[in-house]
Amino acid sequence: MTDSAPPRGPQPDAGTERAALGGRDDAESPHEDLADHRAEADEPAREQRPARKGSLLRETAIIVVSALVLSLLIKTFLVQAFFIPSASMEDTLVEGDRVMVSRLVPGAFDVHRGDVVVFKDPGGWLPPPAPQDESPVSEAVRAALTFVGLLPQDTGEHLIKRVVGVPGDHVVCCDAEGRVSVNGEPIDETYIKPGSVPSQDEFDRTVPEDMLFVMGDNRQNSADSRYNTGKPGGGFVPMGNVVGTAFVKVWPLSHLGLLRNPGDVFADVPEVEP
């Protein structure tokens, strides 16, 4: 028994095969078809590139603006950096130090004897500022960065001193041992610069309501409440002029450290009866 050959039907020609594979006519090859698909796929990518660049710029702008706003809010309500311009607070602070100041005092917290406070000049305590030798652009950039809190506040119109008397206190110098007395209690001021005396000049002052009596730790080199009696405020600092209390030295790193209130110095000072 012999096998019979399978019937042979019509065979597809090359053009039909190409049509089945790629739907193209005889004049186009599979390679050309693949290239066309790649070109079509690349068109959306080229359209997306400018959109991605625009999105990146928007995100960067949002981050920068958010950082500036956050810095401004922190400076306004929490902390602010200040630059120490003189030797009046040596050895606690030296010229060139940078300190951080809490804006929560006064306000959320009270000012206490012994606090180191930054305050706006009540009027005439500071000499007119020397002109800065810088270009208008540089000055504008510096002012803007200082405003938002990215640079420390310069000397401008601010001073930094230690609170010795709060409202109602009777501050007197000097007793038989040359010490300052507050409400009749002599105090041993451990923070004044070694070699300094509590005061080379006598004084007898009662601190008015809503005012402060301040002195520098470098007593023989500090134009403080003792020497501004003829100026606005009579040598006292209005509470409204207080920017805040310095609580930490941040620069240079060799001076890094907390500024603690020397509470023991004033521990025995009696409170004034209202």
Side-chain angles (χ1 to χ4, degrees), residues 18 21-22 24-25 27-37:
R18 281 195 293 270
L21 289 173
R24 299 286 185 177
D25 57 23
E28 295 180 353
S29 69
H31 297 290
E32 291 173 340
D33 178 66
L34 182 59
D36 289 343
H37 280 292

Side-chain angles (χ1 to χ4, degrees), residues 9-87:
Q11 301 296 313
D13 59 19
T16 304
E17 289 179 355
R18 281 195 293 270
L21 289 173
R24 299 286 185 177
D25 57 23
D26 294 350
E28 295 180 353
S29 69
H31 297 290
E32 291 173 340
D33 178 66
L34 182 59
D36 289 343
H37 280 292
R38 286 177 178 173
E40 291 174 359
D42 286 344
E43 287 180 2
R46 283 194 296 268
E47 293 175 357
Q48 291 176 4
R49 284 171 192 160
R52 289 176 181 173
K53 289 181 180 178
S55 177
L56 179 61
L57 289 175
R58 284 194 300 272
E59 291 175 2
T60 302
I62 291 171
I63 291 172
V64 171
V65 171
S66 299
L68 292 175
V69 171
L70 179 61
S71 179
L72 180 59
L73 290 174
I74 290 173
K75 171 200 162 184
T76 303
F77 299 107
L78 296 177
V79 296
Q80 184 176 358
F82 276 86
F83 171 83
I84 304 305
S86 71

Side-chain angles (χ1 to χ4, degrees), residues 113-116 162 190-191 260-267:
R113 304 181 194 99
D115 284 346
V116 175
R162 190 180 296 276
T190 56
Y191 43 75
R260 301 183 184 278
N261 181 295
D264 292 345
V265 173
F266 299 91

